[in-house]
Amino acid sequence: MTLTSTPCDLSTMSLFQDLKLKRRKIDSRCSSDGESIADTSTSSPDVAGPASPSNRMDRSVPSPGLIISMDRMTSSPECGSVTTDSGQDPNDVGEGVKVKEEMLDDTQPKDAIGTGYENGTVADNKTEPPSPSPSPSAVVTAALAAAATAAAQQEQQQQRRESVVMTSPLSCVVKSPSTPPPPPSSTSLSPPLTWTTATAQTNPPPLRCYTPSSAANSMSVTQQYQQRRQSVVTSVSSAFWNAAGTQTLPASTAQGNASAATAAAASVLSVCRINGVRPELIGGAGFATTTAVATCNTDMKPPAAIPPRTTRSAPTVIMGEAGGVRTMIWSSPPCTVEQPTSPASTGCGSVASTISTPYWTSASTWSSNTSSTSSPSPSPASVSEESAAHLLLNLGVAAGHDVASVISHMPGLRPIGSQLQQTSAAGGGNSGGVGGGNVTGGGQQSFHVPLNMERLWAGDLSQLPVAATHQMHALNLTANTGPGWPMTGSNSENKSAPVNAYHQMEEADEQEQPMVCMICDDRATGLHYGIITCEGCKGFFKRTVQNRRIYTCIAEGTCEITKAQRNRCQYCRFKKCIGQGMVLQAVREDRMPGGRNSGAVYNLYKVKYKKKRPPKNGQVKIEKSVACSTASTMTTIKTENQDNNSSSMSTLVNGTILKTALTNPSEVVYLRQRLDNAVSSSRDRTFSIEATVNMIKNLMDCDEFQDIATLRNMEDLLEHNSDLSAKLMQIGDSIVYKLVQWTKRLPFYLELPVEVHTRLLTHKWHELLVLTTSAYQAIHGPQKIWNSTNMNGDRNEDSEFHQEVFQNLCILQNCLSSMMGKPITMDQLRQDVGVMVEKITHVTLMFRRVKLRMEEYVCLKVIIMLTQNNGNTTSELETIQERYTSCLKTYVEHTFPMQPNRLQDLLQRLPEIQSAASLLLESKMFYVPFLLNSTIRS
DNA sequence: GATCAAGGCCAT
DNA sequence: ATGGCCTTGATC
């Protein structure tokens, strides 16, 4: 089946509507004839979407020619088509963001395999992902050649029953043996990467790593598994887009053969050994950014027997990727027994299971699969676009269960082969504590629980030191003592053991002795981020948090951290920092020096301990450890009305609450809110110009305006001889990817839960897009000089406006005509997008007149994103928005002291932008902003 | 003004 | 990247 672009009448049907009609036809055929799917995947490779190999290559090589400017503010192309056509609430139109892992996959390409795993590897999570491989086809060819020559002899019978066929990075299909493999593609740029992993003929070939510089070029079985798995995951993305109604993807060939994919991948994984242990995937390994392969210089044994899944005594290897760097975390998990996961624990409600090896299959033929699943599959029209955004935000950061929950919300996608992941399977959501090195949870070592730094930086604080349940209960922390505080202030009946131990040591150490670092026992210099540390650990913690680094441990995550060995394993060092109670929030986002956090973070989490002294002679280390850990996790929580309720406060003080504060997810949410409210370093104050400049600089750094604003391959997009759906897919691909990447680089990304970011993207993408387009036109567009003076020689702004509108309409007319291969009349154009273009143009002119600066633009961008139209603004969002509003105010006042109304003028543009954006949704012509900037060359 | 806990600098 | 030393600035 080939999707050919049928130019539609712009006046009667939007491009999306047209595409959806196509989609319906395809769905109908796919439902009735599964085998036709293969035709789809092969006869129309272009339809594979923007992430096809050819597209990848195209995108990886910026065109020096026409570059459509667009900002990284991205949108979803087909959001409108999905909802409106089905008669859904128009308010929902376009509020979705279609996401595909390829967005991330592009910047974290397979060519990066092997580059990120060395001992002590550190990944700066803020760094831009590496550029795509310049020659993926060559790499693929090489891989295929290797595959052809190095077939192993011992393939599992289990594997032979299934096959994973990757026809393209986008269109992996999972097929049963009976399903014939797709014929080779005729596209030279997109060689048919047919990687038959478990067909009866060959074993998984020892593919080479894509990265020549990789220290370990041999792709391990695990790597191969990862790649296969990614191919499976890729199909999910395809299916999602497919379900969005805009196109049929080859992924639709995935006939829901979930068990095949599961078994194939599981068979590979289950028999792999890395350093003698079986690797396992969790968390961030769920999707594209996290499915990259951790390189390993370890010989991988060929698959053997599949061990029982209910016993897992071997250490776990968690492989994931963030910021383009692979992470491998080793741990020694407890025995895992499959068990159902409470849907509530996911926060999404409908996930059926939590997974450690999350395999997903594209159930793009959901319409016919519904009856076979335990839960009804949603219709394509009910695609949860928010879930899509959520999904992408979770890429690289979410644990398996999060991904599972997200996927569970995605029609056509369903988890299969779920296997409980022990660390995230707690029904109550308590994912356990980070091993504090010495002791957490009443002295019980917690090394078994790995620290997923990706999730940590994504805002998942549930990994932070958690008082064991028994510890919480011992302190009666579940009782409410004040508004919203799930803890008691009165009962400390059972806290006596650790607290007394602490106090005993405290009293015994009154003598003057040098403080020792709670992390490495080096000489401490004072309180740093909540605990007593040395300068080294202080700086280490600061750098880690500031840069959102992701460390790896090549051992088992139990490295001893001493002064002599602290630099041997960053992962374990940071893990100990967290475990000992160092406060992430104490690292200031605005990097404002000076002052104290006592009025902020420590107002909420008053660390109750004294400076730890070295143990006296005879004191056993474990005692010190207990004391330190206890002290570090001991907090006095002030109630909100502490000033007015001395008795309550007294109760709290007297009942000094042994609380790790971040105990379980339900508390974390509230605590985070409290923290944000309490952090005075970034709220309710006027920033100095230095701080303002710094904050704006951070925003600008994560914006990459020039690069992001350009849409590559515009010439290709404007050609009418290629599939229109592919064009739009390509645009949408770029949009979503850039939008998510921008979000994840925001300085306040960690301050908000992923769910909030998801919601923001879902509801604000169009406004961001309009703002970006207008700002880019104003800043980088030609400073047009119109012949617009009136009889008095004065500037005729009205005439200027209309001339600008007309020019923009002409641009659109040309571009659309080119794209559709059919002339578009100006009347049609005016009817469809005239008002919207006028509004966008108006904003652009206003920005141009005031000579909008990038510094202002990035602030406006954050402000508008955090503006809640429905009035349901949360304090979290308000806090951040106020922060950047204040930042913008300071900047404007300092930079333009002679323009007292400049700030007001800028902020007044925001409603206009929202108005234009709403029209953008209604028109469903998301690409208009791109085209408006198409004449601007970078 | 002293203290202290932030961030920054810079030699290693 | 680390860590010792310095500066900064809020709090006492």
Side-chain angles (χ1 to χ4, degrees):
Chain A
M1 180 185 300
T2 301
L3 274 182
T4 56
S5 174
T6 304
C8 58
D9 188 343
L10 190 66
S11 63
T12 57
M13 178 182 296
S14 74
L15 295 177
F16 295 128
Q17 289 169 326
D18 179 46
L19 288 171
K20 183 163 185 182
L21 284 181
K22 298 176 187 175
R23 169 63 192 144
R24 284 175 175 169
K25 297 175 184 176
I26 295 164
D27 288 343
S28 175
R29 292 190 55 180
C30 292
S31 298
S32 59
D33 182 8
E35 293 303 316
S36 65
I37 298 171
D39 298 334
T40 301
S41 65
T42 56
S43 60
S44 180
D46 289 341
V47 192
S52 65
S54 59
N55 287 336
R56 287 164 181 266
M57 291 193 66
D58 291 343
R59 219 183 301 171
S60 66
V61 182
S63 170
L66 177 62
I67 296 178
I68 288 268
S69 64
M70 65 164 279
D71 188 52
R72 57 189 320 160
M73 297 305 89
T74 58
S75 64
S76 172
E78 63 281 14
C79 49
S81 66
V82 173
T83 51
T84 53
D85 207 37
S86 57
Q88 290 189 345
D89 183 359
N91 293 331
D92 293 334
V93 172
E95 288 190 340
V97 178
K98 295 301 176 293
V99 291
K100 308 193 327 176
E101 70 183 69
E102 283 78 10
M103 310 301 176
L104 295 174
D105 195 27
D106 274 355
T107 55
Q108 298 170 3
K110 297 177 179 62
D111 67 322
I113 288 172
T115 60
Y117 182 66
E118 293 84 23
N119 187 4
T121 293
V122 52
D124 189 334
N125 209 24
K126 287 182 175 179
T127 57
E128 186 69 10
S131 301
S133 170
S135 58
S137 60
V139 177
V140 167
T141 302
L144 289 172
T149 58
Q153 296 298 321
Q154 297 179 350
E155 185 58 46
Q156 288 300 301
Q157 186 65 29
Q158 175 80 10
Q159 285 182 306
R160 288 184 176 138
R161 289 198 292 267
E162 292 87 23
S163 66
V164 178
V165 181
M166 188 161 62
T167 56
S168 80
L170 177 66
S171 59
C172 164
V173 295
V174 181
K175 287 179 174 295
S176 62
S178 59
T179 304
S185 169
S186 58
T187 305
S188 60
L189 283 177
S190 178
L193 176 56
T194 304
W195 182 19
T196 305
T197 61
T199 52
Q201 296 81 10
T202 60
N203 295 323
L207 296 179
R208 311 296 294 182
C209 291
Y210 284 0
T211 303
S213 62
S214 169
N217 275 341
S218 294
M219 180 177 288
S220 65
V221 174
T222 304
Q223 291 170 321
Q224 296 175 24
Y225 155 71
Q226 290 271 13
Q227 195 171 66
R228 295 172 199 172
R229 181 176 168 279
Q230 172 148 350
S231 69
V232 175
V233 170
T234 301
S235 68
V236 174
S237 172
S238 302
F240 176 72
W241 285 76
N242 197 18
T246 56
Q247 74 173 64
T248 289
L249 299 174
S252 64
T253 60
Q255 291 295 302
N257 198 341
S259 58
T262 303
S267 63
V268 174
L269 181 64
S270 60
V271 298
C272 290
R273 292 295 184 276
I274 302 176
N275 290 345
V277 299
R278 184 176 59 208
E280 177 157 337
L281 294 165
I282 70 161
F287 268 72
T289 57
T290 61
T291 53
V293 180
T295 60
C296 177
N297 291 322
T298 305
D299 294 335
M300 305 299 292
K301 297 178 181 178
I306 303 175
R309 289 166 54 182
T310 54
T311 58
R312 185 179 299 120
S313 59
T316 298
V317 178
I318 305 166
M319 285 177 285
E321 179 173 342
V325 176
R326 274 139 303 284
T327 300
M328 177 181 284
I329 303 172
W330 299 65
S331 70
S332 301
C335 177
T336 300
V337 178
E338 292 188 44
Q339 54 184 300
T341 302
S342 168
S345 67
T346 67
C348 294
S350 64
V351 61
S353 60
T354 320
I355 56 172
S356 60
T357 52
Y359 305 112
W360 308 96
T361 184
S362 166
S364 54
T365 55
W366 37 264
S367 57
S368 59
N369 286 346
T370 301
S371 59
S372 64
T373 56
S374 58
S375 58
S377 299
S379 68
S382 65
V383 167
S384 170
E385 293 153 348
E386 184 164 349
S387 294
H390 193 165
L391 167 65
L392 197 50
L393 279 169
N394 271 292
L395 296 182
V397 300
H401 70 277
D402 288 333
V403 177
S405 64
V406 170
I407 299 300
S408 69
H409 278 60
M410 298 174 66
L413 308 179
R414 53 192 173 86
I416 60 173
S418 299
Q419 184 178 357
L420 188 67
Q421 210 295 322
Q422 73 283 356
T423 60
S424 59
N430 189 340
S431 59
V434 173
N438 291 333
V439 177
T440 59
Q444 183 179 10
Q445 289 200 355
S446 310
F447 291 127
H448 301 302
V449 181
L451 170 63
N452 188 326
M453 298 184 72
E454 301 170 29
R455 294 196 61 187
L456 181 65
W457 302 139
D460 179 9
L461 302 184
S462 62
Q463 303 178 88
L464 293 181
V466 176
T469 303
H470 67 272
Q471 194 174 33
M472 291 292 294
H473 285 207
L475 295 168
N476 196 16
L477 296 182
T478 56
N480 292 328
T481 58
W485 283 107
M487 59 196 67
T488 183
S490 59
N491 189 348
S492 57
E493 179 182 11
N494 294 325
K495 73 175 183 184
S496 55
V499 173
N500 286 345
Y502 164 70
H503 284 300
Q504 289 170 5
M505 188 202 72
E506 177 184 359
E507 293 171 1
D509 288 339
E510 285 298 326
Q511 293 87 353
E512 287 298 327
Q513 293 186 41
M515 297 180 294
V516 296
C517 175
M518 294 173 63
I519 305 300
C520 66
D521 286 343
D522 192 5
R523 185 181 67 87
T525 59
L527 271 171
H528 301 299
Y529 307 109
I531 68 170
I532 302 294
T533 72
C534 62
E535 284 294 310
C537 291
K538 165 199 165 189
F540 169 79
F541 184 79
K542 179 185 70 173
R543 290 189 298 269
T544 299
V545 175
Q546 286 179 337
N547 299 323
R548 301 179 188 180
R549 290 176 179 170
I550 295 175
Y551 300 130
T552 65
C553 176
I554 62 172
E556 297 184 356
T558 59
C559 303
E560 184 181 9
I561 304 301
T562 64
K563 179 181 180 181
Q565 303 184 86
R566 64 191 180 196
N567 288 331
R568 291 187 179 180
C569 181
Q570 296 167 309
Y571 172 82
C572 290
R573 189 183 189 183
F574 184 72
K575 185 178 169 184
K576 190 172 183 181
C577 289
I578 294 295
Q580 293 287 58
M582 296 185 81
V583 181
L584 294 173
Q585 289 84 354
V587 180
R588 298 171 182 168
E589 176 188 298
D590 57 7
R591 299 198 171 195
M592 173 70 74
R596 296 178 185 176
N597 272 345
S598 58
V601 173
Y602 304 113
N603 268 352
L604 191 59
Y605 297 100
K606 195 70 176 182
V607 180
K608 289 289 294 182
Y609 57 84
K610 292 187 177 181
K611 294 176 181 177
K612 182 170 68 75
R613 308 291 177 184
K616 290 183 176 180
N617 295 336
Q619 273 189 301
V620 295
K621 182 161 184 165
I622 186 64
E623 179 183 354
K624 182 192 73 174
S625 300
V626 171
C628 293
S629 177
T630 304
S632 67
T633 56
M634 190 183 306
T635 56
T636 296
I637 310 298
K638 295 182 179 179
T639 58
E640 279 183 314
N641 57 348
Q642 56 176 316
D643 295 337
N644 302 327
N645 191 344
S646 59
S647 62
S648 173
M649 186 61 208
S650 174
T651 300
L652 280 176
V653 172
N654 292 337
T656 302
I657 298 170
L658 179 58
K659 173 174 169 48
T660 54
L662 308 170
T663 302
N664 59 57
S666 61
E667 287 187 56
V668 166
V669 173
Y670 185 77
L671 291 176
R672 176 159 40 199
Q673 183 175 350
R674 290 292 304 268
L675 274 174
D676 287 343
N677 293 339
V679 176
S680 62
S681 62
S682 58
R683 187 188 184 187
D684 297 335
R685 75 178 185 191
T686 301
F687 296 110
S688 67
I689 185 60
E690 291 79 12
T692 295
V693 169
N694 193 29
M695 291 175 63
I696 292 179
K697 181 180 181 299
N698 288 336
L699 283 183
M700 294 174 66
D701 287 344
C702 75
D703 203 273
E704 298 177 356
F705 193 51
Q706 188 64 34
D707 178 57
I708 300 296
T710 57
L711 186 62
R712 297 166 182 171
N713 306 322
M714 194 58 201
E715 296 91 339
D716 296 337
L717 294 175
L718 296 180
E719 290 178 359
H720 68 273
N721 55 1
S722 61
D723 186 14
L724 184 58
S725 63
K727 296 175 183 176
L728 299 182
M729 284 290 298
Q730 195 168 351
I731 295 177
D733 186 13
S734 177
I735 290 175
V736 177
Y737 169 75
K738 292 170 180 174
L739 177 60
V740 173
Q741 290 302 305
W742 169 72
T743 297
K744 296 172 78 170
R745 282 194 292 262
L746 286 172
F748 54 86
Y749 178 70
L750 295 180
E751 297 183 40
L752 298 173
V754 173
E755 292 76 12
V756 174
H757 285 295
T758 301
R759 179 164 52 84
L760 291 176
L761 290 187
T762 304
H763 294 277
K764 289 294 184 177
W765 66 268
H766 52 298
E767 296 176 12
L768 296 171
L769 187 59
V770 170
L771 168 62
T772 299
T773 298
S774 302
Y776 192 77
Q777 278 199 314
I779 295 175
H780 295 293
Q783 302 301 309
K784 301 183 179 76
I785 301 176
W786 300 101
N787 182 18
S788 56
T789 54
N790 58 22
M791 295 178 63
N792 298 327
D794 298 329
R795 194 177 182 184
N796 190 333
E797 294 183 352
D798 190 57
S799 175
E800 178 183 349
F801 168 72
H802 286 101
Q803 290 185 61
E804 184 97 8
V805 169
F806 179 75
Q807 189 196 51
N808 281 332
L809 287 174
C810 290
I811 293 172
L812 284 177
Q813 186 182 31
N814 293 334
C815 292
L816 291 175
S817 298
S818 178
M819 287 179 64
M820 303 175 67
K822 178 182 180 179
I824 306 297
T825 68
M826 186 59 75
D827 287 341
Q828 288 177 322
L829 205 57
R830 285 186 182 278
Q831 181 178 343
D832 276 30
V833 296
V835 178
M836 176 179 64
V837 171
E838 288 180 358
K839 288 181 177 292
I840 294 177
T841 304
H842 182 257
V843 175
T844 299
L845 287 178
M846 293 300 294
F847 281 157
R848 188 180 299 159
R849 285 170 189 160
V850 301
K851 291 182 170 57
L852 179 73
R853 291 195 174 187
M854 266 296 293
E855 290 83 353
E856 297 165 320
Y857 154 71
V858 294
C859 290
L860 290 174
K861 200 169 175 179
V862 170
I863 292 170
I864 197 171
M865 185 180 72
L866 299 174
T867 299
Q868 299 296 291
N869 300 330
N870 53 13
N872 294 332
T873 302
T874 66
S875 60
E876 293 173 300
L877 300 183
E878 276 184 348
T879 299
I880 302 173
Q881 190 185 46
E882 289 171 2
R883 187 187 312 164
Y884 285 99
T885 303
S886 175
C887 181
L888 176 62
K889 178 175 182 290
T890 301
Y891 175 82
V892 169
E893 290 176 348
H894 183 269
T895 310
F896 303 97
M898 304 305 292
Q899 301 181 34
N901 296 327
R902 184 177 180 88
L903 176 65
Q904 184 181 3
D905 291 341
L906 293 177
L907 295 178
Q908 284 179 346
R909 301 286 80 78
L910 299 185
E912 300 172 8
I913 291 171
Q914 292 174 327
S915 176
S918 65
L919 294 177
L920 182 68
L921 288 186
E922 294 175 7
S923 72
K924 298 185 288 292
M925 298 176 70
F926 74 97
Y927 45 82
V928 162
F930 297 82
L931 304 184
L932 290 179
N933 277 340
S934 63
T935 57
I936 305 175
R937 294 169 184 268
S938 60

